[in-house]
Amino acid sequence: MKKIPFVDLHQQYLTIKTEIDNSIQNTIRKTSFIGGDDVSLFEKNFAEKLDIKNCISVANGTDSLYIIQKMLGIGEGDEVITSAYSWISSSETISQTGAKPIFIDIDEFYTIDANKIEKAITKKTKAIIIVHIHGQSCDIEKITALCKSYNLFLIEDCAQSHLTEYNNKYVGTFGDAASFSFYPGKNLGAYGDAGAIICNSDELANKFKMYARHGALKKHEHQIEGINSRLDGIQAGILNVKLKYLTEWTNKRRQVAELYLQNLSGVEEIKLPLVRPNTKHSFHLFVIRCKNRDELMKSLKNKGIETAIHYPHALPSLKAYEYLNLEKSQFVNAIGQESELLSLPIFPELTEYEILTVCDEIKKFYL
Ligand SMILES: *Cc1c(COP(=O)(O)O)cnc(C)c1O
């Protein structure tokens, strides 16, 4: 039987091979390896696509979170609230600024439980980093209201949620600034590391840009010490090509998800992902909760179906956060699901036949 991979970036490349190859060749011909037209064009294109004023490209989606916090003035003595269930970048970058990450358990949508945030706000709280995980939107209405009444910055981690919509508006446009990753496997992925920050404020945009470019907006005019965080020319060219297909690819992901939802709906041993009301989920991941997860994973692997676990450990369970002495009972949802999570194959090129095969094999396992 033909294998069903978890993702297949080479298959996607083949559908746009000529454009990608030309773009890479052009960058080499122009020797615009760092900076140049393609980088500024991508910043313009991405901002236009999301209907926001500014886009600042950076080296990856971890730098973007760090730069945002640093330029919002977050540092030593501050607290930043974030979700207990995410990739470590969303909390790691809080610590990098010198501030303390405050974890909040998740709701039934895998996103930060908005009802538990208020209790965690202290005099030291400066910001909330929400993570639109799997492509799901957080409870933006409740969270923006909280940020307003407590005067907190709202930072959106959109590494997994390119083109996710909430109330007909793209996520990433609700807070003070948002962070995107273009890691190859993300919904918009480069062929290496890449990331971006978006925001409406010109003042903040200038700060982000300056900090990412060694503290200088003009060459050799360093206003402050910054860092070196750049999107390179080859990646920008590739992203410009791929951005044109993002809407189509996102809709295909939604179709894949719809087929999974239809065909797995009766299986008692499985909890299917819910979609928050007023949300257009972008399904970066299709995560189910299931009984006998490890056996199911092994059985699917034997049938040539590749699955993954996002993530085996909630952030408060990681050794990296032992020093915080967290009360594990505060994270019943995030920690309680650790042994049940399974991510099914999802990418735009997945065929209906492949999706139905995955569903059939899951059903057979539980028979
Ligand atoms: C991928 C990811 C990041 C980090 O992106 P990189 O480009 O790999 O640094 C941050 N947050 C979340 C939720 C992610 O999934």
PDB file of all heavy atoms in Angstrom, residues 250-281:
ATOM      1  N   THR A 250      -5.504  26.785   2.209  1.00  0.00           N
ATOM      2  CA  THR A 250      -6.219  26.805   3.490  1.00  0.00           C
ATOM      3  C   THR A 250      -7.609  26.202   3.321  1.00  0.00           C
ATOM      4  O   THR A 250      -8.071  25.422   4.165  1.00  0.00           O
ATOM      5  CB  THR A 250      -6.308  28.247   4.030  1.00  0.00           C
ATOM      6  OG1 THR A 250      -4.991  28.791   4.064  1.00  0.00           O
ATOM      7  CG2 THR A 250      -6.902  28.292   5.429  1.00  0.00           C
ATOM      8  N   ASN A 251      -8.265  26.543   2.210  1.00  0.00           N
ATOM      9  CA  ASN A 251      -9.585  25.954   1.962  1.00  0.00           C
ATOM     10  C   ASN A 251      -9.497  24.443   1.792  1.00  0.00           C
ATOM     11  O   ASN A 251     -10.381  23.712   2.232  1.00  0.00           O
ATOM     12  CB  ASN A 251     -10.242  26.607   0.749  1.00  0.00           C
ATOM     13  CG  ASN A 251     -10.726  28.009   1.079  1.00  0.00           C
ATOM     14  OD1 ASN A 251     -11.056  28.292   2.233  1.00  0.00           O
ATOM     15  ND2 ASN A 251     -10.748  28.896   0.094  1.00  0.00           N
ATOM     16  N   LYS A 252      -8.418  23.975   1.171  1.00  0.00           N
ATOM     17  CA  LYS A 252      -8.257  22.529   1.027  1.00  0.00           C
ATOM     18  C   LYS A 252      -8.063  21.859   2.384  1.00  0.00           C
ATOM     19  O   LYS A 252      -8.587  20.773   2.631  1.00  0.00           O
ATOM     20  CB  LYS A 252      -7.094  22.221   0.092  1.00  0.00           C
ATOM     21  CG  LYS A 252      -7.473  22.463  -1.356  1.00  0.00           C
ATOM     22  CD  LYS A 252      -6.504  21.804  -2.302  1.00  0.00           C
ATOM     23  CE  LYS A 252      -6.994  21.930  -3.739  1.00  0.00           C
ATOM     24  NZ  LYS A 252      -5.893  21.944  -4.698  1.00  0.00           N
ATOM     25  N   ARG A 253      -7.313  22.505   3.262  1.00  0.00           N
ATOM     26  CA  ARG A 253      -7.155  21.962   4.615  1.00  0.00           C
ATOM     27  C   ARG A 253      -8.523  21.844   5.297  1.00  0.00           C
ATOM     28  O   ARG A 253      -8.811  20.883   5.996  1.00  0.00           O
ATOM     29  CB  ARG A 253      -6.286  22.883   5.472  1.00  0.00           C
ATOM     30  CG  ARG A 253      -4.817  22.795   5.172  1.00  0.00           C
ATOM     31  CD  ARG A 253      -4.038  23.787   6.017  1.00  0.00           C
ATOM     32  NE  ARG A 253      -2.629  23.679   5.746  1.00  0.00           N
ATOM     33  CZ  ARG A 253      -1.815  22.775   6.308  1.00  0.00           C
ATOM     34  NH1 ARG A 253      -2.277  21.958   7.241  1.00  0.00           N
ATOM     35  NH2 ARG A 253      -0.548  22.713   5.975  1.00  0.00           N
ATOM     36  N   ARG A 254      -9.362  22.871   5.093  1.00  0.00           N
ATOM     37  CA  ARG A 254     -10.701  22.843   5.693  1.00  0.00           C
ATOM     38  C   ARG A 254     -11.526  21.688   5.138  1.00  0.00           C
ATOM     39  O   ARG A 254     -12.301  21.061   5.854  1.00  0.00           O
ATOM     40  CB  ARG A 254     -11.409  24.182   5.437  1.00  0.00           C
ATOM     41  CG  ARG A 254     -10.787  25.310   6.243  1.00  0.00           C
ATOM     42  CD  ARG A 254     -11.383  26.665   5.923  1.00  0.00           C
ATOM     43  NE  ARG A 254     -10.760  27.671   6.770  1.00  0.00           N
ATOM     44  CZ  ARG A 254     -10.400  28.887   6.365  1.00  0.00           C
ATOM     45  NH1 ARG A 254     -10.644  29.271   5.134  1.00  0.00           N
ATOM     46  NH2 ARG A 254      -9.829  29.732   7.207  1.00  0.00           N
ATOM     47  N   GLN A 255     -11.325  21.404   3.847  1.00  0.00           N
ATOM     48  CA  GLN A 255     -12.053  20.271   3.251  1.00  0.00           C
ATOM     49  C   GLN A 255     -11.570  18.941   3.813  1.00  0.00           C
ATOM     50  O   GLN A 255     -12.366  18.036   4.064  1.00  0.00           O
ATOM     51  CB  GLN A 255     -11.896  20.284   1.729  1.00  0.00           C
ATOM     52  CG  GLN A 255     -12.735  21.368   1.056  1.00  0.00           C
ATOM     53  CD  GLN A 255     -12.295  21.630  -0.383  1.00  0.00           C
ATOM     54  OE1 GLN A 255     -11.533  20.859  -0.970  1.00  0.00           O
ATOM     55  NE2 GLN A 255     -12.764  22.731  -0.940  1.00  0.00           N
ATOM     56  N   VAL A 256     -10.249  18.841   4.020  1.00  0.00           N
ATOM     57  CA  VAL A 256      -9.696  17.623   4.619  1.00  0.00           C
ATOM     58  C   VAL A 256     -10.321  17.430   6.004  1.00  0.00           C
ATOM     59  O   VAL A 256     -10.814  16.352   6.348  1.00  0.00           O
ATOM     60  CB  VAL A 256      -8.151  17.708   4.748  1.00  0.00           C
ATOM     61  CG1 VAL A 256      -7.611  16.509   5.517  1.00  0.00           C
ATOM     62  CG2 VAL A 256      -7.494  17.804   3.371  1.00  0.00           C
ATOM     63  N   ALA A 257     -10.329  18.506   6.789  1.00  0.00           N
ATOM     64  CA  ALA A 257     -10.874  18.446   8.144  1.00  0.00           C
ATOM     65  C   ALA A 257     -12.346  18.040   8.112  1.00  0.00           C
ATOM     66  O   ALA A 257     -12.795  17.207   8.914  1.00  0.00           O
ATOM     67  CB  ALA A 257     -10.715  19.800   8.832  1.00  0.00           C
ATOM     68  N   GLU A 258     -13.087  18.607   7.171  1.00  0.00           N
ATOM     69  CA  GLU A 258     -14.513  18.302   7.055  1.00  0.00           C
ATOM     70  C   GLU A 258     -14.729  16.803   6.799  1.00  0.00           C
ATOM     71  O   GLU A 258     -15.610  16.181   7.398  1.00  0.00           O
ATOM     72  CB  GLU A 258     -15.093  19.152   5.915  1.00  0.00           C
ATOM     73  CG  GLU A 258     -16.608  19.221   5.872  1.00  0.00           C
ATOM     74  CD  GLU A 258     -17.240  19.546   7.206  1.00  0.00           C
ATOM     75  OE1 GLU A 258     -16.770  20.494   7.873  1.00  0.00           O
ATOM     76  OE2 GLU A 258     -18.197  18.824   7.596  1.00  0.00           O
ATOM     77  N   LEU A 259     -13.901  16.227   5.936  1.00  0.00           N
ATOM     78  CA  LEU A 259     -14.023  14.797   5.642  1.00  0.00           C
ATOM     79  C   LEU A 259     -13.694  13.943   6.869  1.00  0.00           C
ATOM     80  O   LEU A 259     -14.372  12.948   7.147  1.00  0.00           O
ATOM     81  CB  LEU A 259     -13.112  14.414   4.471  1.00  0.00           C
ATOM     82  CG  LEU A 259     -13.671  14.692   3.082  1.00  0.00           C
ATOM     83  CD1 LEU A 259     -12.623  14.418   2.015  1.00  0.00           C
ATOM     84  CD2 LEU A 259     -14.923  13.823   2.820  1.00  0.00           C
ATOM     85  N   TYR A 260     -12.664  14.328   7.591  1.00  0.00           N
ATOM     86  CA  TYR A 260     -12.359  13.616   8.835  1.00  0.00           C
ATOM     87  C   TYR A 260     -13.541  13.697   9.797  1.00  0.00           C
ATOM     88  O   TYR A 260     -13.963  12.708  10.395  1.00  0.00           O
ATOM     89  CB  TYR A 260     -11.134  14.235   9.520  1.00  0.00           C
ATOM     90  CG  TYR A 260      -9.781  13.740   9.046  1.00  0.00           C
ATOM     91  CD1 TYR A 260      -8.733  14.639   8.838  1.00  0.00           C
ATOM     92  CD2 TYR A 260      -9.527  12.380   8.852  1.00  0.00           C
ATOM     93  CE1 TYR A 260      -7.476  14.208   8.426  1.00  0.00           C
ATOM     94  CE2 TYR A 260      -8.273  11.939   8.438  1.00  0.00           C
ATOM     95  CZ  TYR A 260      -7.257  12.848   8.230  1.00  0.00           C
ATOM     96  OH  TYR A 260      -6.016  12.420   7.835  1.00  0.00           O
ATOM     97  N   LEU A 261     -14.078  14.915   9.952  1.00  0.00           N
ATOM     98  CA  LEU A 261     -15.171  15.121  10.906  1.00  0.00           C
ATOM     99  C   LEU A 261     -16.383  14.275  10.528  1.00  0.00           C
ATOM    100  O   LEU A 261     -17.007  13.642  11.376  1.00  0.00           O
ATOM    101  CB  LEU A 261     -15.549  16.608  10.980  1.00  0.00           C
ATOM    102  CG  LEU A 261     -14.507  17.526  11.638  1.00  0.00           C
ATOM    103  CD1 LEU A 261     -14.869  18.994  11.436  1.00  0.00           C
ATOM    104  CD2 LEU A 261     -14.362  17.218  13.125  1.00  0.00           C
ATOM    105  N   GLN A 262     -16.702  14.243   9.220  1.00  0.00           N
ATOM    106  CA  GLN A 262     -17.853  13.459   8.774  1.00  0.00           C
ATOM    107  C   GLN A 262     -17.642  11.968   9.010  1.00  0.00           C
ATOM    108  O   GLN A 262     -18.529  11.270   9.481  1.00  0.00           O
ATOM    109  CB  GLN A 262     -18.076  13.668   7.276  1.00  0.00           C
ATOM    110  CG  GLN A 262     -18.788  14.965   6.942  1.00  0.00           C
ATOM    111  CD  GLN A 262     -18.740  15.243   5.443  1.00  0.00           C
ATOM    112  OE1 GLN A 262     -18.426  14.357   4.642  1.00  0.00           O
ATOM    113  NE2 GLN A 262     -19.040  16.470   5.070  1.00  0.00           N
ATOM    114  N   ASN A 263     -16.443  11.511   8.675  1.00  0.00           N
ATOM    115  CA  ASN A 263     -16.224  10.067   8.652  1.00  0.00           C
ATOM    116  C   ASN A 263     -15.802   9.477   9.983  1.00  0.00           C
ATOM    117  O   ASN A 263     -15.789   8.257  10.143  1.00  0.00           O
ATOM    118  CB  ASN A 263     -15.219   9.711   7.560  1.00  0.00           C
ATOM    119  CG  ASN A 263     -15.847   9.845   6.197  1.00  0.00           C
ATOM    120  OD1 ASN A 263     -16.591   8.981   5.760  1.00  0.00           O
ATOM    121  ND2 ASN A 263     -15.596  10.970   5.541  1.00  0.00           N
ATOM    122  N   LEU A 264     -15.444  10.316  10.932  1.00  0.00           N
ATOM    123  CA  LEU A 264     -15.055   9.792  12.248  1.00  0.00           C
ATOM    124  C   LEU A 264     -16.091  10.124  13.311  1.00  0.00           C
ATOM    125  O   LEU A 264     -15.917   9.800  14.487  1.00  0.00           O
ATOM    126  CB  LEU A 264     -13.689  10.356  12.658  1.00  0.00           C
ATOM    127  CG  LEU A 264     -12.473   9.870  11.849  1.00  0.00           C
ATOM    128  CD1 LEU A 264     -11.234  10.667  12.240  1.00  0.00           C
ATOM    129  CD2 LEU A 264     -12.230   8.376  12.053  1.00  0.00           C
ATOM    130  N   SER A 265     -17.196  10.745  12.883  1.00  0.00           N
ATOM    131  CA  SER A 265     -18.134  11.294  13.875  1.00  0.00           C
ATOM    132  C   SER A 265     -18.759  10.238  14.774  1.00  0.00           C
ATOM    133  O   SER A 265     -19.045  10.520  15.921  1.00  0.00           O
ATOM    134  CB  SER A 265     -19.209  12.123  13.183  1.00  0.00           C
ATOM    135  OG  SER A 265     -20.058  11.255  12.463  1.00  0.00           O
ATOM    136  N   GLY A 266     -18.917   9.021  14.290  1.00  0.00           N
ATOM    137  CA  GLY A 266     -19.574   8.023  15.140  1.00  0.00           C
ATOM    138  C   GLY A 266     -18.637   7.254  16.068  1.00  0.00           C
ATOM    139  O   GLY A 266     -19.099   6.445  16.879  1.00  0.00           O
ATOM    140  N   VAL A 267     -17.342   7.477  15.958  1.00  0.00           N
ATOM    141  CA  VAL A 267     -16.410   6.640  16.709  1.00  0.00           C
ATOM    142  C   VAL A 267     -16.326   7.093  18.173  1.00  0.00           C
ATOM    143  O   VAL A 267     -15.829   8.172  18.477  1.00  0.00           O
ATOM    144  CB  VAL A 267     -14.997   6.658  16.064  1.00  0.00           C
ATOM    145  CG1 VAL A 267     -14.083   5.650  16.743  1.00  0.00           C
ATOM    146  CG2 VAL A 267     -15.091   6.384  14.567  1.00  0.00           C
ATOM    147  N   GLU A 268     -16.846   6.210  19.055  1.00  0.00           N
ATOM    148  CA  GLU A 268     -16.968   6.589  20.467  1.00  0.00           C
ATOM    149  C   GLU A 268     -15.643   6.842  21.173  1.00  0.00           C
ATOM    150  O   GLU A 268     -15.567   7.638  22.108  1.00  0.00           O
ATOM    151  CB  GLU A 268     -17.650   5.438  21.219  1.00  0.00           C
ATOM    152  CG  GLU A 268     -19.107   5.671  21.511  1.00  0.00           C
ATOM    153  CD  GLU A 268     -19.714   4.440  22.154  1.00  0.00           C
ATOM    154  OE1 GLU A 268     -19.101   3.939  23.122  1.00  0.00           O
ATOM    155  OE2 GLU A 268     -20.758   3.973  21.661  1.00  0.00           O
ATOM    156  N   GLU A 269     -14.623   6.137  20.745  1.00  0.00           N
ATOM    157  CA  GLU A 269     -13.332   6.221  21.431  1.00  0.00           C
ATOM    158  C   GLU A 269     -12.573   7.508  21.101  1.00  0.00           C
ATOM    159  O   GLU A 269     -11.491   7.746  21.615  1.00  0.00           O
ATOM    160  CB  GLU A 269     -12.455   5.015  21.054  1.00  0.00           C
ATOM    161  CG  GLU A 269     -12.952   3.677  21.593  1.00  0.00           C
ATOM    162  CD  GLU A 269     -13.981   3.000  20.669  1.00  0.00           C
ATOM    163  OE1 GLU A 269     -14.469   3.656  19.717  1.00  0.00           O
ATOM    164  OE2 GLU A 269     -14.294   1.830  20.920  1.00  0.00           O
ATOM    165  N   ILE A 270     -13.157   8.321  20.223  1.00  0.00           N
ATOM    166  CA  ILE A 270     -12.450   9.511  19.745  1.00  0.00           C
ATOM    167  C   ILE A 270     -13.197  10.786  20.089  1.00  0.00           C
ATOM    168  O   ILE A 270     -14.414  10.857  19.970  1.00  0.00           O
ATOM    169  CB  ILE A 270     -12.311   9.437  18.202  1.00  0.00           C
ATOM    170  CG1 ILE A 270     -11.294   8.383  17.821  1.00  0.00           C
ATOM    171  CG2 ILE A 270     -11.914  10.767  17.608  1.00  0.00           C
ATOM    172  CD1 ILE A 270     -11.161   8.239  16.330  1.00  0.00           C
ATOM    173  N   LYS A 271     -12.439  11.806  20.500  1.00  0.00           N
ATOM    174  CA  LYS A 271     -13.014  13.151  20.616  1.00  0.00           C
ATOM    175  C   LYS A 271     -12.480  13.980  19.469  1.00  0.00           C
ATOM    176  O   LYS A 271     -11.282  14.207  19.350  1.00  0.00           O
ATOM    177  CB  LYS A 271     -12.583  13.789  21.935  1.00  0.00           C
ATOM    178  CG  LYS A 271     -13.520  13.501  23.064  1.00  0.00           C
ATOM    179  CD  LYS A 271     -13.342  14.538  24.169  1.00  0.00           C
ATOM    180  CE  LYS A 271     -14.067  14.090  25.417  1.00  0.00           C
ATOM    181  NZ  LYS A 271     -13.227  14.062  26.601  1.00  0.00           N
ATOM    182  N   LEU A 272     -13.380  14.428  18.616  1.00  0.00           N
ATOM    183  CA  LEU A 272     -12.967  15.202  17.441  1.00  0.00           C
ATOM    184  C   LEU A 272     -12.775  16.676  17.811  1.00  0.00           C
ATOM    185  O   LEU A 272     -13.365  17.158  18.780  1.00  0.00           O
ATOM    186  CB  LEU A 272     -14.033  15.070  16.353  1.00  0.00           C
ATOM    187  CG  LEU A 272     -14.141  13.671  15.741  1.00  0.00           C
ATOM    188  CD1 LEU A 272     -15.419  13.534  14.937  1.00  0.00           C
ATOM    189  CD2 LEU A 272     -12.925  13.375  14.863  1.00  0.00           C
ATOM    190  N   PRO A 273     -11.954  17.393  17.043  1.00  0.00           N
ATOM    191  CA  PRO A 273     -11.763  18.815  17.346  1.00  0.00           C
ATOM    192  C   PRO A 273     -13.050  19.608  17.144  1.00  0.00           C
ATOM    193  O   PRO A 273     -13.800  19.362  16.212  1.00  0.00           O
ATOM    194  CB  PRO A 273     -10.685  19.254  16.354  1.00  0.00           C
ATOM    195  CG  PRO A 273     -10.669  18.228  15.284  1.00  0.00           C
ATOM    196  CD  PRO A 273     -11.146  16.948  15.900  1.00  0.00           C
ATOM    197  N   LEU A 274     -13.283  20.548  18.061  1.00  0.00           N
ATOM    198  CA  LEU A 274     -14.437  21.443  17.947  1.00  0.00           C
ATOM    199  C   LEU A 274     -13.962  22.733  17.281  1.00  0.00           C
ATOM    200  O   LEU A 274     -12.794  23.076  17.376  1.00  0.00           O
ATOM    201  CB  LEU A 274     -14.966  21.784  19.335  1.00  0.00           C
ATOM    202  CG  LEU A 274     -15.384  20.605  20.215  1.00  0.00           C
ATOM    203  CD1 LEU A 274     -15.649  21.078  21.637  1.00  0.00           C
ATOM    204  CD2 LEU A 274     -16.627  19.933  19.631  1.00  0.00           C
ATOM    205  N   VAL A 275     -14.876  23.414  16.632  1.00  0.00           N
ATOM    206  CA  VAL A 275     -14.530  24.714  16.069  1.00  0.00           C
ATOM    207  C   VAL A 275     -15.268  25.776  16.867  1.00  0.00           C
ATOM    208  O   VAL A 275     -16.480  25.686  17.048  1.00  0.00           O
ATOM    209  CB  VAL A 275     -14.894  24.800  14.574  1.00  0.00           C
ATOM    210  CG1 VAL A 275     -14.578  26.193  14.027  1.00  0.00           C
ATOM    211  CG2 VAL A 275     -14.141  23.742  13.772  1.00  0.00           C
ATOM    212  N   ARG A 276     -14.530  26.756  17.357  1.00  0.00           N
ATOM    213  CA  ARG A 276     -15.154  27.822  18.155  1.00  0.00           C
ATOM    214  C   ARG A 276     -16.186  28.561  17.302  1.00  0.00           C
ATOM    215  O   ARG A 276     -15.946  28.819  16.119  1.00  0.00           O
ATOM    216  CB  ARG A 276     -14.076  28.809  18.619  1.00  0.00           C
ATOM    217  CG  ARG A 276     -14.610  29.879  19.564  1.00  0.00           C
ATOM    218  CD  ARG A 276     -13.543  30.897  19.927  1.00  0.00           C
ATOM    219  NE  ARG A 276     -12.411  30.310  20.609  1.00  0.00           N
ATOM    220  CZ  ARG A 276     -12.421  29.891  21.869  1.00  0.00           C
ATOM    221  NH1 ARG A 276     -13.508  30.019  22.597  1.00  0.00           N
ATOM    222  NH2 ARG A 276     -11.357  29.349  22.416  1.00  0.00           N
ATOM    223  N   PRO A 277     -17.338  28.914  17.891  1.00  0.00           N
ATOM    224  CA  PRO A 277     -18.327  29.683  17.134  1.00  0.00           C
ATOM    225  C   PRO A 277     -17.696  30.954  16.542  1.00  0.00           C
ATOM    226  O   PRO A 277     -16.794  31.537  17.154  1.00  0.00           O
ATOM    227  CB  PRO A 277     -19.370  30.046  18.192  1.00  0.00           C
ATOM    228  CG  PRO A 277     -19.240  28.988  19.231  1.00  0.00           C
ATOM    229  CD  PRO A 277     -17.801  28.568  19.233  1.00  0.00           C
ATOM    230  N   ASN A 278     -18.175  31.374  15.400  1.00  0.00           N
ATOM    231  CA  ASN A 278     -17.674  32.568  14.689  1.00  0.00           C
ATOM    232  C   ASN A 278     -16.237  32.453  14.207  1.00  0.00           C
ATOM    233  O   ASN A 278     -15.587  33.453  13.931  1.00  0.00           O
ATOM    234  CB  ASN A 278     -17.786  33.833  15.554  1.00  0.00           C
ATOM    235  CG  ASN A 278     -19.201  34.046  16.045  1.00  0.00           C
ATOM    236  OD1 ASN A 278     -20.153  33.847  15.293  1.00  0.00           O
ATOM    237  ND2 ASN A 278     -19.342  34.406  17.303  1.00  0.00           N
ATOM    238  N   THR A 279     -15.737  31.217  14.152  1.00  0.00           N
ATOM    239  CA  THR A 279     -14.349  31.010  13.738  1.00  0.00           C
ATOM    240  C   THR A 279     -14.270  30.270  12.417  1.00  0.00           C
ATOM    241  O   THR A 279     -15.021  29.325  12.186  1.00  0.00           O
ATOM    242  CB  THR A 279     -13.607  30.183  14.817  1.00  0.00           C
ATOM    243  OG1 THR A 279     -13.562  30.932  16.020  1.00  0.00           O
ATOM    244  CG2 THR A 279     -12.183  29.856  14.384  1.00  0.00           C
ATOM    245  N   LYS A 280     -13.348  30.713  11.557  1.00  0.00           N
ATOM    246  CA  LYS A 280     -12.963  29.906  10.400  1.00  0.00           C
ATOM    247  C   LYS A 280     -11.587  29.336  10.704  1.00  0.00           C
ATOM    248  O   LYS A 280     -10.573  30.036  10.632  1.00  0.00           O
ATOM    249  CB  LYS A 280     -12.941  30.749   9.116  1.00  0.00           C
ATOM    250  CG  LYS A 280     -14.247  30.654   8.346  1.00  0.00           C
ATOM    251  CD  LYS A 280     -14.203  31.449   7.080  1.00  0.00           C
ATOM    252  CE  LYS A 280     -14.036  30.538   5.863  1.00  0.00           C
ATOM    253  NZ  LYS A 280     -14.045  31.335   4.607  1.00  0.00           N
ATOM    254  N   HIS A 281     -11.608  28.091  11.141  1.00  0.00           N
ATOM    255  CA  HIS A 281     -10.415  27.357  11.573  1.00  0.00           C
ATOM    256  C   HIS A 281      -9.522  27.130  10.343  1.00  0.00           C
ATOM    257  O   HIS A 281     -10.024  26.865   9.258  1.00  0.00           O
ATOM    258  CB  HIS A 281     -10.918  26.014  12.129  1.00  0.00           C
ATOM    259  CG  HIS A 281      -9.984  25.279  13.017  1.00  0.00           C
ATOM    260  ND1 HIS A 281      -8.709  24.961  12.659  1.00  0.00           N
ATOM    261  CD2 HIS A 281     -10.163  24.759  14.269  1.00  0.00           C
ATOM    262  CE1 HIS A 281      -8.132  24.271  13.655  1.00  0.00           C
ATOM    263  NE2 HIS A 281      -9.002  24.148  14.643  1.00  0.00           N
TER     264      HIS A 281
END
